[in-house]
Amino acid sequence: MISKLPKWVESGAFILAFTAGSVNAIGLLGFKHQSVSHLSGTATLVGTQLLNSSYTELFHLLGIMVSFMLGAALSGALLTGSTLKLGRHYDTLLVIEGLCLLSAIYLLQGGSFYGHYMASAACGLQNALATTYSGAIVRTTHVTGIFTDLGIMLGTTLKGERFDKRKAILFLLIIIGFISGGTFGALLFNQIQFQALAGPALICFILAITYRIYKAKTAPRR
């Protein structure tokens, strides 16, 4: 599946991972050390809160998980198929993601925890967008599966199987993007607090505009 993707997908995956890494870093620093770009840690915290009987925190964590799922559901509603294809609503989803992040800024600055939900929904939307176009191969909002896949690739290479260099490069770019995005998000948060979410929101808007221009230039003329 990776070999069938356009050559520029690597750049897009890097930028999306950078965006998610930024949002997640801001979440870790500002949302009581709560991740919003993936749900493994959140699910674990839900289990611990069941024992601690802290229902306020429990419902808050469940809200983050549901928000992530609803963001993914929106991607599923707007996109069809499992391959990258011009004409689909990638630009629309990126604009919605950016608006979710801007809404999160507004809510968080007003002291509302609903901002956490908006940031989580933005990440769920992005992760489903990337999953949809890549055929469930590429995730851009977390790197656990990426490291797992790289490990599997290395293991199969030891058995003499062919090493897919393009796939490995794509995975490494996602890892580098996520880590560097985390650094960017942390630097912004230290300077401007929750307004730092405007950085990844701006990236989403720029990607949407770029995609719209590219689609217009490459569309067949009637």
Side-chain angles (χ1 to χ4, degrees):
M1 184 66 73
I2 291 289
S3 61
K4 297 179 181 179
L5 294 176
K7 294 294 184 181
W8 49 264
V9 162
E10 283 86 349
S11 299
F14 173 86
I15 296 171
L16 289 174
F18 183 94
T19 303
S22 300
V23 174
N24 198 49
I26 296 165
L28 287 171
L29 293 171
F31 304 169
K32 297 181 180 179
H33 302 290
Q34 175 62 56
S35 296
V36 291
S37 71
H38 57 279
L39 299 181
S40 299
T42 305
T44 301
L45 290 173
V46 167
T48 61
Q49 292 303 323
L50 287 172
L51 293 177
N52 295 334
S53 298
S54 177
Y55 295 109
T56 300
E57 187 67 20
L58 173 62
F59 285 117
H60 177 61
L61 292 169
L62 289 173
I64 290 174
M65 296 175 69
V66 171
S67 297
F68 191 97
M69 183 178 66
L70 291 176
L74 182 57
S75 277
L78 291 179
L79 297 179
T80 57
S82 60
T83 58
L84 186 65
K85 184 178 180 181
L86 288 177
R88 292 177 177 159
H89 296 284
Y90 304 117
D91 49 349
T92 303
L93 288 170
L94 286 166
V95 169
I96 295 173
E97 180 181 353
L99 291 175
C100 284
L101 294 174
L102 293 181
S103 298
I105 295 174
Y106 174 79
L107 292 167
L108 291 167
Q109 287 186 324
S112 173
F113 60 83
Y114 286 105
H116 301 181
Y117 302 159
M118 296 302 295
S120 183
C123 288
L125 183 153
Q126 177 184 307
N127 199 47
L129 182 155
T131 299
T132 300
Y133 82 62
S134 63
I137 291 175
V138 176
R139 298 288 199 277
T140 58
T141 63
H142 56 88
V143 294
T144 303
I146 301 298
F147 275 104
T148 301
D149 289 342
L150 278 174
I152 292 172
M153 290 173 63
L154 290 173
T156 56
T157 300
L158 294 176
K159 296 192 300 182
E161 296 185 16
R162 185 181 69 85
F163 185 76
D164 191 333
K165 292 182 180 179
R166 188 185 181 194
K167 189 174 182 180
I169 290 173
L170 176 62
F171 288 161
L172 288 173
L173 284 172
I174 292 173
I175 292 170
I176 295 170
F178 194 86
I179 293 173
S180 57
T183 302
F184 176 73
L187 289 172
L188 280 183
F189 183 83
N190 289 336
Q191 296 295 322
I192 55 177
Q193 298 300 295
F194 288 121
Q195 291 184 17
L197 288 171
L202 178 61
I203 293 173
C204 289
F205 294 140
I206 292 173
L207 277 177
I209 293 171
T210 302
Y211 172 76
R212 178 64 64 89
I213 294 173
Y214 179 82
K215 183 172 66 173
K217 288 184 176 180
T218 56
R221 296 183 179 181
R222 296 178 180 178

